[in-house]
């Protein structure tokens, strides 16, 4: 899809679905934070779920044998389906076996994945979705926009209008309770008629053959209890050794999904179940005289999962328990929903892994760029999947894939045929932003005036997809490291640090660096500045892993002399610290662990020094501050140090809750994502509004750019603000 | 013990259910207040609790299942932390009686209340190793948010009332 098409599609979805999606996802998101904060041993539970899933996927062949034996011993049948077509074949055989005419389903993304409803209808079977969200989707003939709340993109009014139209109602139903009653009574009749009930499975216990379903409406229970035949369809990754392993998953799942302690029903079925089969056509029959003859078929679906299991980088996808926390904690998803941030079936951050695995990489190609690598999903994933890394890897593979019409013709014409085959000029320009900044710095202020001219902006938009509505960074000729080189060092320092000069501090915001030096020196810390080497963040964000690895190695080399016993590295830009602490272990392995251990974000370091030397940073200032923490800082759990220092300095600090500012490095500059980026920025602006007297603070260079663009305030880096007070 | 019961009931109410404490001697008197006729149950529940209550049909037909306002069943376990109950299915149709009527009244022996989920999971593990084929950990009434706001009473019961029997 071209950049223009992408922009149009996103704009349309922002208008039609954005509001409803945002309302629900942000409610889920806040609920999750509240519930998980109350949960003791949260991290240990995540470690346990992770360990169980790792082991289960490792031992999948044995577990498959075991579950087959258990289900067959219980009296059911197990079918292994290689792909969607194979699964359809199995279902057709079962349908024929029982002469089924009507099937009812409870919610299952796996059946969405294989297009089961169409296959059943093709075989002459009437199918009804009984989960109310899926029922809406079925009536509207749409695809789910969210993996747990499929109709999240519809407002109540739209649902009422849909029901009125589909059921020819004279007056639309006016409230949620009436809509629910109507759907319940319609679907109750369908479930009574049904020959087959189809469910998915959240978990399957291998040792007992138990199907575990986490639901709240009661429809899955009815789909199992009423029809005489039960088909459960699940991916092979759903198998866990035993019911005994459920505890950590159940403690985390509903909290992570909807912000509930538990969903209304955690159902365990070891089918065929012994509930008598009600015969609604013979209402006089006493329940105790009903037959308990039931059939059960378990269809275990591969559809690319074996290959995922063998894929070192994407294997983690199989640990996913489909809670949707990665979607709900994602600023992009919150604003545009799964119809943009999703492929054929799955949506949200982890969907890149699922779509690549089950539908192929082209399905992921259309949305993986919507992962900006902000990492807010990382601490929120109950099975600790590194979702940004999955997105990076898939982007890297797409970059290497032969062009197949994914890019504008203009880009294709310009693309060289070297190893950069497949990488758009937009990606390459962003990956090499350090060179652009250095060139602009050398020629500033001419370059700055020039880049703001209309012809240059039009060319930049045309060739690089840099949206002309964005203000470009104001590059300065007065580089931070040059300023620092001329300074005298502190006499008899307490400690020594080396500041890592990220390219934004170096070329665009040297005042951050100067303020950092001032604050550190005021606490008796000697400061040196390391050579300027781009950390690899820029190419990594574009999925250029090889180039990122080279830059990472160069950065590590440049900092290695500073990693002695009596020196630390101080980082100003939080996303660079994210590189050192998270991504470098992926790129460089254990070699980078010394850097990860010895580097600190500026305020983290200031706080530690204040604690260690029983000193403080005091100012004459007082008043109110609104502080927007950088997404990476929040993931690293270091934003509280900034708050503490600001409070120490006399401010009353209010922290924003936005997961990300929406600029996210280069994301907001890209023409195709400008509208989405601005929509996210406007949500952030709402948190800043109405505080005219407050000082607005943000640590990230992108966050500062975005806050400048979307508010009337003059946002400032907290170090710069502090240095000015002294 | 009463502290555990209190916590169970508080958390049940926090999850949109309701509950009261009763005893074997007062059971029928208290049941009368919480059932809405027509009400159905199973014969073995009557036997176990030694109830003889003409207002509750212990041998319902399929037609009576469909029109029942109240279903009365027993829980095998209660979880104090969430006010949840474990409902086990069986050949008498407990699952149908729990699920179909609008109001679900649950008898819970106070000795079956455990502190937290891990104890419940270990009970479920044992139960499904033997003859139990259906266990539902139910927390409050059925619910949906799919129609634009939270509604209690989706496909399952709209109201849940637990009677904690304190001498059992």
């Amino acid at each position: 899809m071209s950049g223009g098409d992408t922009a149009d599609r996103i704009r349309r979805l922002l208008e039609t679905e954005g509001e409803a999606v945002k309302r629900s996802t942000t409610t889920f998101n806040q609920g999750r934070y509240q519930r998980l904060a109350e949960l003791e041993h949260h991290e240990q539970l995540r470690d346990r779920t992770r360990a169980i899933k790792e082991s289960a996927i490792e031992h999948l062949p044995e577990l498959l044998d075991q579950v087959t034996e258990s289900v067959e011993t219980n009296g059911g049948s197990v079918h292994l389906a290689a792909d969607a077509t194979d699964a359809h074949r199995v279902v057709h055989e079962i349908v024929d076996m029982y002469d089924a005419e009507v099937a009812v389903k409870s919610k299952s993304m796996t059946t969405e994945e294989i297009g089961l409803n169409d296959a059943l209808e093709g075989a002459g079977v009437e199918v009804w979705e009984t989960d109310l969200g899926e029922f809406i989707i079925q009536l509207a003939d749409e695809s789910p926009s969210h993996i747990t709340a499929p109709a999240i993109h519809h407002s109540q009014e739209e649902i009422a209008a849909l029901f009125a139209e589909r059921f020819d109602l004279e007056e639309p139903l006016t409230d949620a309770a009436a809509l629910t009653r109507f759907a319940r009574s319609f679907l109750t009749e369908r479930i009574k008629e049904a020959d087959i009930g189809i469910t998915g499975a959240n978990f399957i216990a291998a040792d007992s053959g138990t199907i575990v379903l986490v639901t709240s409406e009661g429809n899955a229970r009815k789909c199992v209890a009423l029809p005489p035949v039960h088909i459960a369809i699940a991916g092979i990754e759903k198998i866990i050794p035993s019911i005994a392993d459920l505890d950590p998953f159940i403690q985390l799942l509903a909290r992570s999904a909807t912000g509930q302690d538990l969903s209304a029903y955690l159902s365990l079925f070891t089918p065929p179940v012994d509930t008598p089969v009600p015969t609604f056509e013979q209402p006089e029959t006493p329940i105790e005289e009903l037959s308990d003859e039931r059939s059960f078929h378990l269809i275990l679906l591969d559809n690319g999962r074996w290959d995922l299991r063998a894929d070192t980088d994407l294997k983690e996808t199989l640990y996913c328990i489909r809670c949707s926390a990665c979607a709900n904690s994602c600023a992009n998803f919150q604003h545009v929903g799964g119809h943009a941030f999703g492929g054929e079936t799955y949506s949200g951050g982890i969907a890149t892994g699922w779509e690549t695995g089950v539908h192929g990489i082209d399905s992921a190609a259309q949305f993986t760029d919507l992962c900006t690598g902000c990492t807010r999903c990382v601490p929120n994933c109950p099975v600790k999947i590194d979702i940004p890394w999955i997105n990076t890897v898939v982007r890297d593979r797409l970059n290497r894939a032969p062009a197949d019409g994914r890019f504008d013709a203009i880009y294709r014409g310009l693309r060289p045929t070297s190893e950069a085959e497949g990488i758009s000029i937009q990606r390459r320009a962003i990956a090499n932003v350090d060179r652009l900044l250095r060139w602009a710095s050398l020629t500033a202020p001419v370059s700055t005036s020039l880049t703001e001219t209309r012809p240059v902006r039009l060319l930049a938009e045309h060739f690089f997809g840099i949206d002309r509505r964005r203000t470009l960074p104001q590059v300065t000729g007065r580089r931070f490291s040059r300023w620092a080189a001329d300074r005298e060092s502190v006499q008899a320092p307490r400690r020594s640090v080396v500041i890592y000069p990220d390219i934004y501090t170096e070329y665009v915001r040297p005042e951050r660096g100067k303020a950092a030096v001032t604050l550190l020196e005021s606490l008796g810390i000697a400061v040196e500045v390391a050579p300027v080497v781009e950390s690899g963040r820029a190419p990594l964000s574009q999925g250029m892993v090889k180039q990122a690895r080279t830059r990472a190695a160069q950065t590590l080399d440049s900092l290695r002399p500073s990693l002695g016993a009596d020196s630390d590295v101080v980082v100003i830009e939080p996303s660079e610290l994210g590189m050192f602490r998270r991504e470098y272990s992926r790129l460089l392995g254990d070699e980078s662990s010394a850097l990860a251990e010895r580097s600190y974000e500026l305020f983290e370091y200031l706080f530690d020094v204040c604690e260690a030397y029983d000193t403080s940073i005091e100012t004459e200032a007082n008043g109110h501050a609104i502080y927007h923490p950088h997404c990476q800082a929040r993931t690293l759990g270091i934003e509280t140090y900034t708050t503490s220092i600001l409070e120490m300095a006399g401010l009353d600090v209010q922290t924003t809750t936005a997961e990300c500012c929406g600029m996210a490095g280069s994301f907001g500059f890209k023409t195709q994502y400008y509208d989405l980026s601005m929509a996210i920025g406007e949500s952030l602006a709402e948190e800043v509004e109405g505080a005219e007297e407050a000082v607005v603070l943000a640590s990230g260079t992108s966050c500062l750019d975005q806050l400048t663009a979307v508010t009337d305030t003059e946002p400032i880096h907290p170090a710069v603000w502090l240095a000015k007070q002294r | 013990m009463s502290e555990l019961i209190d916590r169970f009931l508080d958390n049940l109410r926090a999850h949109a259910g309701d509950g009261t404490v009763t005893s074997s001697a007062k059971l029928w008197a208290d049941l009368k207040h919480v059932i809405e006729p027509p009400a159905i149950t199973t014969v073995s529940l009557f036997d176990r609790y030694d109830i003889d209550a003409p207002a509750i049909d212990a041998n319902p037909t399929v037609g009576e299942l469909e029109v029942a306002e109240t279903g009365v069943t027993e829980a095998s376990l209660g979880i104090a932390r969430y006010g949840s109950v474990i409902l086990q299915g069986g050949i008498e149709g407990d699952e149908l009686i729990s699920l179909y009527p609008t109001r679900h009244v649950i008898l819970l022996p106070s000795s079956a209340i455990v502190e937290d989920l891990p104890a419940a999971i270990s009970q479920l593990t044992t139960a499904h190793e033997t003859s139990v084929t259906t266990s539902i950990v139910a927390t409050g009434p059925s619910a949906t948010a799919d129609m634009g706001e939270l509604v209690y009473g989706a496909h399952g019961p709209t109201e849940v009332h637990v009677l904690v029997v304190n001498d059992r």
Side-chain angles (χ1 to χ4, degrees), chain A residues 422-466:
Chain A
I423 305 181
S424 76
I425 195 164
Q426 184 184 56
R427 286 198 196 287
R428 279 183 286 126
I430 292 164
N432 293 298
V433 65
D434 57 320
R435 290 185 209 168
L436 290 173
L437 293 174
R438 192 169 61 226
W439 168 81
S441 172
L442 286 169
T443 55
V446 178
S447 58
T448 311
S449 333
L450 187 68
T451 51
E452 279 312 314
T453 62
R454 188 171 155 78
V456 170
R457 293 308 304 265
L458 287 174
L459 286 169
E461 183 170 293
H462 192 70
F463 288 104
F464 301 107
I466 303 298

Side-chain angles (χ1 to χ4, degrees), chain A residues 488-642:
Chain A
E488 281 182 26
S489 59
V490 175
Q491 298 301 309
R494 282 170 164 156
R495 284 190 69 79
S496 300
V497 298
V498 171
I499 290 184
Y500 168 70
D502 62 90
I503 56 171
Y504 308 100
T505 300
E506 176 69 5
Y507 300 114
V508 184
R509 298 183 186 277
E511 72 279 3
R512 301 198 298 191
K514 295 177 192 174
V517 173
T518 307
L519 291 171
L520 287 163
E521 289 184 347
S522 77
L523 293 177
I525 308 295
V527 183
E528 282 186 50
V529 176
V532 181
V533 185
E534 198 278 321
S535 67
R537 165 69 68 190
L540 194 75
S541 74
Q542 304 308 301
M544 297 160 72
V545 174
K546 192 176 159 197
Q547 190 175 341
R549 183 172 285 125
T550 307
R551 298 272 187 83
Q554 289 164 351
T555 304
L556 181 60
D557 282 345
S558 75
L559 291 170
R560 215 186 295 271
S562 317
L563 297 174
D566 52 356
S567 177
D568 300 297
V569 173
V570 165
V571 180
I572 295 168
E573 179 67 35
S575 58
E576 306 291 28
L577 187 65
M579 287 295 281
F580 295 175
R581 287 204 186 152
R582 279 178 33 83
E583 278 78 13
Y584 274 21
S585 68
R586 293 272 185 188
L587 297 170
L588 304 173
D590 291 344
E591 205 193 340
S592 65
S593 59
L595 177 59
E597 282 159 23
R598 300 303 297 273
S599 49
Y600 301 85
E601 189 267 344
L602 172 63
F603 282 84
E604 183 183 22
Y605 195 79
L606 293 173
F607 183 86
D608 282 357
V609 170
C610 288
E611 290 274 293
Y613 297 98
D614 196 19
T615 178
S616 66
I617 296 176
E618 280 160 24
T619 71
E620 299 295 308
N622 56 48
H624 190 59
I626 298 176
Y627 166 53
H628 171 66
H630 191 282
C631 45
Q632 304 272 356
R634 290 185 65 187
T635 294
L636 297 172
I638 55 170
E639 81 282 19
T640 49
Y641 297 111
T642 304

Side-chain angles (χ1 to χ4, degrees), chain A residues 97-399:
Chain A
M97 202 185 304
Y98 302 102
D99 286 328
E101 291 173 3
V102 180
V104 286
K105 288 178 64 198
S106 71
K107 187 182 172 313
S108 152
M109 286 305 292
T110 307
T111 62
E112 294 277 353
E113 174 189 321
I114 58 173
L116 183 67
N117 292 11
D118 287 347
L120 280 165
E121 281 161 5
V125 178
E126 186 182 318
V127 193
W128 290 100
E129 294 284 357
T130 62
D131 170 85
L132 299 186
E134 285 287 348
F135 181 54
I136 294 166
I137 294 296
Q138 183 178 25
L139 293 177
D141 194 20
E142 292 176 334
S143 59
S145 62
H146 188 276
I147 60 170
T148 61
I152 202 175
H153 56 288
H154 282 302
S155 67
Q156 198 171 302
E157 293 70 32
E158 287 166 358
I159 299 166
L162 175 72
F163 277 30
E165 189 214 318
R166 289 289 188 276
F167 297 104
D168 215 10
L169 307 177
E170 284 181 15
E171 290 286 322
L173 300 157
T174 51
D175 59 58
L179 288 161
T180 303
R181 274 196 304 275
F182 179 85
R184 172 192 168 121
S185 74
F186 176 83
L187 290 169
T188 296
E189 294 307 310
R190 305 290 83 74
I191 300 171
K192 278 159 59 181
E193 294 163 1
D195 307 295
I196 295 181
I198 299 173
T199 69
N202 290 86
F203 305 93
I204 303 170
D207 64 349
S208 58
T210 304
I211 307 298
V212 182
L213 292 165
V214 179
T215 66
S216 62
E217 293 182 357
N219 60 312
R221 292 173 66 187
K222 279 190 172 162
C223 286
V224 173
L226 303 188
V229 181
H230 174 196
I231 303 177
I233 302 184
I236 50 177
E237 83 284 2
K238 296 291 177 67
I239 307 172
I240 56 172
S242 163
I243 295 172
D245 295 306
L246 280 175
D247 172 52
F249 294 102
I250 302 307
Q251 291 205 52
L252 291 174
L253 183 51
R255 288 181 168 100
S256 299
T258 50
Q260 294 168 289
D261 293 323
L262 292 177
S263 64
Y265 302 128
L266 166 67
S267 307
L268 283 76
F269 300 112
T270 305
V273 297
D274 58 5
T275 298
V277 184
T279 47
F280 293 98
E281 63 280 12
Q282 292 161 317
E284 301 305 318
T285 314
I287 290 176
E288 66 171 22
E289 288 173 24
L290 293 171
S291 156
D292 62 352
E293 207 159 300
R294 289 176 174 274
S295 305
F296 173 62
H297 297 268
L298 174 62
I299 302 177
L300 290 167
L301 182 70
D302 172 1
N303 206 29
R305 287 164 174 82
W306 275 119
D307 291 341
L308 266 181
R309 181 173 173 268
D311 186 322
T312 319
D313 285 311
L314 302 188
K315 182 167 80 175
E316 282 188 284
T317 305
L318 297 172
Y319 307 157
C320 171
I321 55 172
R322 315 250 175 110
C323 72
S324 78
C326 59
N328 300 331
S329 61
C330 171
N332 274 350
F333 192 97
Q334 286 173 356
H335 287 79
V336 75
H339 285 154
F341 200 153
E344 281 183 42
T345 307
Y346 298 100
S347 57
I350 192 61
T352 296
W354 280 121
E355 291 287 325
T356 303
V358 308
H359 294 308
I361 199 163
D362 287 345
S363 186
Q366 50 189 308
F367 67 92
T368 179
D369 271 0
L370 288 172
C371 170
T372 63
C374 84
T375 69
R376 291 306 302 136
C377 52
V378 172
N380 288 305
C381 175
V383 282
K384 302 178 83 168
I385 301 174
D386 191 349
I387 294 164
W389 181 251
I390 287 174
N391 280 275
T392 300
V393 167
V394 168
R395 222 169 284 153
D396 185 62
R397 292 181 190 175
L398 285 163
N399 285 339

Side-chain angles (χ1 to χ4, degrees), chain B residues 34-66:
Chain B
V34 293
I35 59 168
E36 183 76 33
I40 57 174
T41 188
T42 61
V43 172
S44 67
L45 182 125
F46 265 24
D47 289 349
R48 279 202 302 282
Y49 285 86
D50 195 23
I51 318 172
D52 183 12
I56 307 177
D57 186 347
N59 189 13
T61 63
V62 173
E64 285 160 347
L65 169 71
E66 283 197 79

Side-chain angles (χ1 to χ4, degrees), chain A residues 4-22:
Chain A
D5 290 346
T6 303
D8 288 345
R9 195 165 65 115
I10 288 177
R11 201 175 301 124
R12 198 183 65 243
L13 287 169
L14 283 169
E15 282 165 16
T16 54
E17 302 185 351
E19 194 185 322
V21 169
K22 184 177 154 188

